[in-house]
Amino acid sequence: MSLRFFKPGYRSWVVIWITAVLVLWEAAAWMLQLFLSPQQAASRLPYLHEVLAALFRYSSTLAEQGAVTFGNAAIGFAGGTLLGLGLALLMSAAVWLERTLSPYVVSSQMVPVIGLAPIVYGIIHNAEWARIVMAAYVTFFPIIIHTLKGLKSAAPEHLELMRSCGASLTARYIKCLLPSALPGLFSGMKIAAPLAVTSSIVVELMGAPNGLGVLMVSSLYYGHAQVGMFWATIMLSIGIGLISYLVISLAERWLTPWQPEFRAKGGQAT
């Protein structure tokens, strides 16, 4: 997905899509009310306006706990991005390095987050660091894959020209390889950003003292009385992921204006 959202025609489709989701949500909640008791129906899928009311009612608590989750996820995301970028640069420097590191990089992703989170939390015994580590864990793999693909997409004739001019390895990376890798890097970041938030919440479900995951568990414990809080927490988590994606997309638009999707017909940047 690009920044087509800012184009008038695309914005209209986004509005239609959001409206359709809202209508379907309300219709589904109403259908449950017909076949179940009001309490049972609300515990499964409350009306959207009730969720929005809870979102405003508990806004201070949600903002406080959301900041905890987002802060840890952001730190882990930044660390995972730097780790992934560094490994991608190393693997691009020599074929033997790529062949040596690739099996370990791929194998590291074989353990699912839901299984690894309690292990990390049990070893570290610190909720904050466990969230950061898990966010970095889910981040570095897509960063490596997409950045390495971007590094390999550099035009061979450009690299050959720089070699013939006596350009150093550092100069080739700065002037040719890294610009070629930026689109891939941003693609990996857009994939990893929402995953970093999700992984932080998974750690919080394991018994962390604060965060959105704690609100989810506590609201489920109180059942019908806190169903609005539960769904408000879900909506906030989705919102954090979408905002993260949008911020990275804006940065991509600013730093890589030469990409075809950011240029209008005729070659002018949009």
Side-chain angles (χ1 to χ4, degrees):
M1 178 179 177
S2 65
L3 294 188
R4 293 175 293 173
F5 174 79
F6 296 100
K7 297 181 180 180
Y10 192 74
R11 283 200 300 266
S12 62
W13 280 107
V14 171
V15 171
I16 293 173
W17 181 84
I18 293 176
T19 303
V21 170
L22 300 182
V23 171
L24 289 174
W25 185 325
E26 291 287 281
W30 178 74
M31 291 293 293
L32 286 176
Q33 293 281 346
L34 294 178
F35 297 100
L36 301 174
S37 66
Q39 185 173 358
Q40 288 178 322
S43 64
R44 287 165 172 78
L45 183 66
Y47 284 111
L48 181 60
H49 66 268
E50 295 176 350
V51 176
L52 295 177
L55 191 62
F56 285 104
R57 186 184 312 122
Y58 303 113
S59 58
S60 59
T61 301
L62 289 169
E64 180 182 356
Q65 300 304 315
V68 173
T69 299
F70 178 75
N72 288 292
I75 295 173
F77 173 76
T81 299
L82 292 175
L83 175 62
L85 177 60
L87 288 174
L89 292 173
L90 283 175
M91 293 167 71
S92 69
V95 175
W96 69 269
L97 276 174
E98 180 180 357
R99 292 176 178 174
T100 301
L101 296 177
S102 290
Y104 297 102
V105 171
V106 175
S107 299
S108 69
Q109 302 300 302
M110 295 298 103
V111 182
V113 173
I114 192 66
L116 185 61
I119 298 175
V120 172
Y121 189 36
I123 294 175
I124 298 178
H125 292 294
N126 183 291
E128 183 176 356
W129 277 105
R131 283 177 284 202
I132 292 173
V133 169
M134 287 306 303
Y137 167 78
V138 300
T139 296
F140 87 95
F141 183 72
I143 297 295
I144 289 178
I145 296 301
H146 289 272
T147 303
L148 187 60
K149 182 178 179 180
L151 289 167
K152 292 181 177 180
S153 69
E157 59 271 18
H158 294 169
L159 292 172
E160 185 60 34
L161 177 61
M162 295 190 72
R163 291 192 191 95
S164 64
C165 294
S168 64
L169 180 63
T170 302
R172 294 199 296 270
Y173 267 93
I174 293 175
K175 296 182 178 180
C176 184
L177 290 169
L178 284 178
S180 299
L182 279 179
L185 173 62
F186 279 112
S187 295
M189 291 172 68
K190 287 188 287 187
I191 294 173
L195 293 177
V197 176
T198 302
S199 65
S200 294
I201 293 176
V202 170
V203 173
E204 292 166 356
L205 295 175
M206 305 300 160
N210 50 20
L212 293 179
V214 177
L215 288 182
M216 290 181 187
V217 173
S218 62
S219 59
L220 285 175
Y221 178 79
Y222 288 104
H224 175 69
Q226 290 292 325
V227 66
M229 169 67 90
F230 174 78
W231 283 97
T233 307
I234 295 294
M235 291 189 68
L236 180 59
S237 303
I238 294 173
I240 292 174
L242 289 175
I243 290 173
S244 302
Y245 183 95
L246 181 59
V247 169
I248 295 172
S249 297
L250 289 170
E252 180 186 20
R253 172 66 180 86
W254 180 52
L255 293 173
T256 61
W258 63 82
Q259 294 193 70
E261 62 185 294
F262 299 142
R263 302 186 69 85
K265 294 180 180 180
Q268 296 298 320
T270 58

